[in-house]
Amino acid sequence: MRYINSNMNKCLITKDLTRNAIFFLFCLFSFKGVCQSEESTVSTLVKMGFENVGCTEDDKERIYTIQNSAYRLQGVGIGKAVDVIQKTGLPDGKSCRIIVLDNNVPQISLFYQPTKADSLPEATRQDWNVSYNLGDAWKQARKIKKENSSLFKVDIVVYPELSLKNLVITQVYQVLFNLSPTIEVSFWKGMSLTAQMVIPIYNDGFEMMSEAVHNVYDRVHPGCVSLSQTVRLPYNTWATLSVGHFMANRYGVDLSAMHVLKMDQRFSFEGRVGYTGACYWDAFTCHFDSRKVWTWHIGANFFWPYYNLQTSVKLIQHIQGEKSIRCDMIRHFKYVSIGFYGEKANRGIRANAGFRFQIALPPYRYKRKGYIPRVTPSENFGMVYNAGNERNYYKTYRTSPSDNIMHNNSLNPYFIKSELVNY
């Protein structure tokens, strides 16, 4: 008769169960640790004030989405986000990508690929490749749920407006200074609503006579009131359609587009076409001219990363119907963008030239509390100097008060890379 030790069998079964349980818990804790790493990184970015923050992962890479709404300078804000992700959010043995959004529309991506020799990722800011290309990541990232959405959040942005004229012999400068609080809000992806109110502060010589025999510059009146929709198209192309009352007393519709060469992202092409008429506000009464004109421009740009120098050449049809060739050369620094321009029109119109600048305004760090409207000064302040004193020709318009050389360059990947490395 064979004797079986039941106590020994029970011990073996117990050991197997214990071993399996420990292995299961180890796998569970490892998986939980990865999830906690992603969640803690997203939570930290949200607490810092970043919006549209999300994270997803596949077999090849981990993908983050962020929108900088906390720092005045995009380079500084993106650098802060990179520092957080490097510290707590890098995956083990896989690449990592950060997709930067503007009004929920993808602009650029930062890509980090660890070397095979690294057992643990130890990235620095210099290791991130910044580019307009999103790869295949955006198809996956756009489906994830984003924390701290930017939609329906209201910004009241106060734009300082200073105009100077030197036309009167007995007066050095005629001066007009306004403060223009502007409501800026987005109700869906890529959409922006701008509604501006102009408050005169000081006027010494600027006049426009309306039918009511009032100087309209001395009265509180609306400014730019426009609706814009921006989309990102394939092959590094962006398009924006705007309608409403624009800057420079124009109303109508405007379509603009920019394309960046995929093979060499230093080169880009842009185009714009508008169908607008003249208008002006007399207090809260808007006077329209029924006559409308077509305006357009096409141009090419080159960005020299070593000096953060942007050059452009454009062929333009202006509001008065004259056509001109315009050349710009702009150098971008951390807090300022400054450049020179020259233009020559047909019809025997004399050439014109001048300089322009934009300066970033403090504060450089700010946060919002939920959906309470946030009041801030404009991102920057700038002026254009018309050296030729030309009053009738070379006239154009802007579709929003934030459309300027500094803002338009703020998410240039070469500029962002230089900011990451230098600051």
Side-chain angles (χ1 to χ4, degrees):
M1 182 176 180
R2 189 176 181 182
Y3 177 76
I4 300 176
N5 190 337
S6 61
N7 291 331
M8 185 179 296
N9 287 341
K10 290 180 180 179
C11 291
L12 292 173
I13 295 172
T14 303
K15 289 181 180 180
D16 290 338
L17 291 174
T18 303
R19 188 182 299 109
N20 292 334
I22 293 174
F23 178 76
F24 174 76
L25 291 174
F26 176 78
C27 296
L28 182 62
F29 290 152
S30 299
F31 177 74
K32 185 177 180 181
V34 172
C35 293
Q36 287 178 341
S37 173
E38 296 177 9
E39 291 175 358
S40 66
T41 302
V42 170
S43 177
T44 300
L45 292 172
V46 170
K47 290 179 181 178
M48 293 172 64
F50 290 93
E51 295 177 341
N52 301 324
V53 183
C55 183
T56 187
E57 190 170 356
D58 57 21
D59 296 336
K60 297 180 180 180
E61 64 183 22
R62 183 177 295 177
I63 307 159
Y64 291 93
T65 62
I66 62 168
Q67 180 169 313
N68 174 37
S69 302
Y71 294 87
R72 177 73 71 189
L73 305 174
Q74 288 285 0
V76 173
I78 294 172
K80 297 292 184 181
V82 167
D83 292 340
V84 171
I85 292 172
Q86 287 179 164
K87 185 177 181 180
T88 63
L90 287 180
D92 186 11
K94 289 192 290 188
S95 59
C96 185
R97 187 184 299 271
I98 305 171
I99 297 177
V100 181
L101 310 177
D102 182 21
N103 198 13
N104 267 304
V105 178
Q107 303 294 321
I108 61 175
S109 73
L110 292 80
F111 183 73
Y112 168 70
Q113 177 67 57
T115 62
K116 296 181 180 180
D118 293 338
S119 58
L120 293 175
E122 295 181 359
T124 64
R125 288 187 176 191
Q126 290 85 347
D127 297 328
W128 293 82
N129 178 42
V130 189
S131 168
Y132 285 112
N133 296 332
L134 306 179
D136 297 328
W138 179 242
K139 296 178 181 179
Q140 178 179 349
R142 64 183 178 183
K143 300 178 182 178
I144 64 177
K145 181 181 179 180
K146 300 179 179 64
E147 303 293 333
N148 195 22
S149 173
S150 63
L151 300 181
F152 305 104
K153 291 182 178 178
V154 178
D155 281 312
I156 302 176
V157 184
V158 181
Y159 289 87
E161 298 178 348
L162 176 63
S163 300
L164 304 172
K165 290 194 299 186
N166 184 11
L167 300 174
V168 182
I169 297 177
T170 58
Q171 187 176 358
V172 179
Y173 280 108
Q174 297 165 281
V175 181
L176 176 65
F177 179 67
N178 301 323
L179 289 178
S180 301
T182 305
I183 294 176
E184 298 178 354
V185 62
S186 177
F187 296 115
W188 59 81
K189 177 181 175 181
M191 171 268 186
S192 60
L193 172 65
T194 301
Q196 187 178 56
M197 188 66 64
V198 180
I199 303 174
I201 303 298
Y202 180 76
N203 185 0
D204 184 16
F206 275 72
E207 294 184 358
M208 178 189 291
M209 303 303 293
S210 70
E211 294 179 358
V213 198
H214 292 292
N215 185 0
V216 300
Y217 288 120
D218 290 336
R219 311 179 75 185
V220 176
H221 60 276
C224 177
V225 182
S226 64
L227 182 68
S228 298
Q229 176 66 52
T230 300
V231 295
R232 176 163 180 161
L233 303 173
Y235 308 107
N236 294 340
T237 302
W238 291 261
T240 300
L241 178 66
S242 302
V243 296
H245 185 291
F246 303 144
M247 309 295 289
N249 293 328
R250 305 297 298 181
Y251 77 96
V253 59
D254 180 90
L255 176 64
S256 63
M258 184 186 76
H259 172 71
V260 179
L261 282 184
K262 196 169 184 178
M263 63 183 68
D264 190 340
Q265 297 184 2
R266 297 174 300 171
F267 293 91
S268 63
F269 300 91
E270 61 179 291
R272 184 171 223 153
V273 60
Y275 187 59
T276 64
C279 63
Y280 70 93
W281 290 96
D282 184 356
F284 290 89
T285 301
C286 191
H287 299 270
F288 296 89
D289 188 339
S290 59
R291 293 172 298 177
K292 298 182 179 64
V293 297
W294 288 97
T295 58
W296 50 263
H297 81 246
I298 54 174
N301 306 284
F302 174 75
F303 193 86
W304 190 3
Y306 187 81
Y307 291 106
N308 284 330
L309 182 67
Q310 180 182 357
T311 59
S312 65
V313 178
K314 299 176 184 176
L315 177 62
I316 309 174
Q317 177 166 298
H318 298 272
I319 293 173
Q320 296 291 343
E322 74 279 13
K323 297 180 179 64
S324 73
I325 295 179
R326 175 175 174 131
C327 299
D328 288 78
M329 183 175 293
I330 304 165
R331 188 169 183 187
H332 300 280
F333 300 90
K334 183 177 182 180
Y335 293 103
V336 64
S337 296
I338 185 168
F340 301 89
Y341 70 90
E343 51 193 349
K344 179 65 178 72
N346 59 350
R347 300 181 181 177
I349 300 171
R350 64 178 181 175
N352 191 27
F355 68 86
R356 56 196 307 192
F357 68 87
Q358 296 286 145
I359 300 175
L361 298 178
Y364 301 110
R365 173 77 169 92
Y366 42 80
K367 295 181 69 174
R368 74 165 84 240
K369 296 182 179 179
Y371 286 88
I372 299 176
R374 179 176 64 179
V375 181
T376 66
S378 61
E379 291 182 355
N380 46 66
F381 167 78
M383 293 184 68
V384 178
Y385 178 71
N386 176 6
N389 205 18
E390 179 58 59
R391 301 179 60 188
N392 299 318
Y393 299 107
Y394 303 112
K395 301 299 181 183
T396 57
Y397 61 86
R398 295 178 293 145
T399 58
S400 72
S402 63
D403 182 10
N404 58 67
I405 56 176
M406 192 174 192
H407 174 81
N408 296 339
N409 183 71
S410 61
L411 287 173
N412 183 311
Y414 294 103
F415 183 70
I416 294 297
K417 180 66 175 182
S418 69
E419 294 290 285
L420 291 179
V421 173
N422 295 324
Y423 303 104

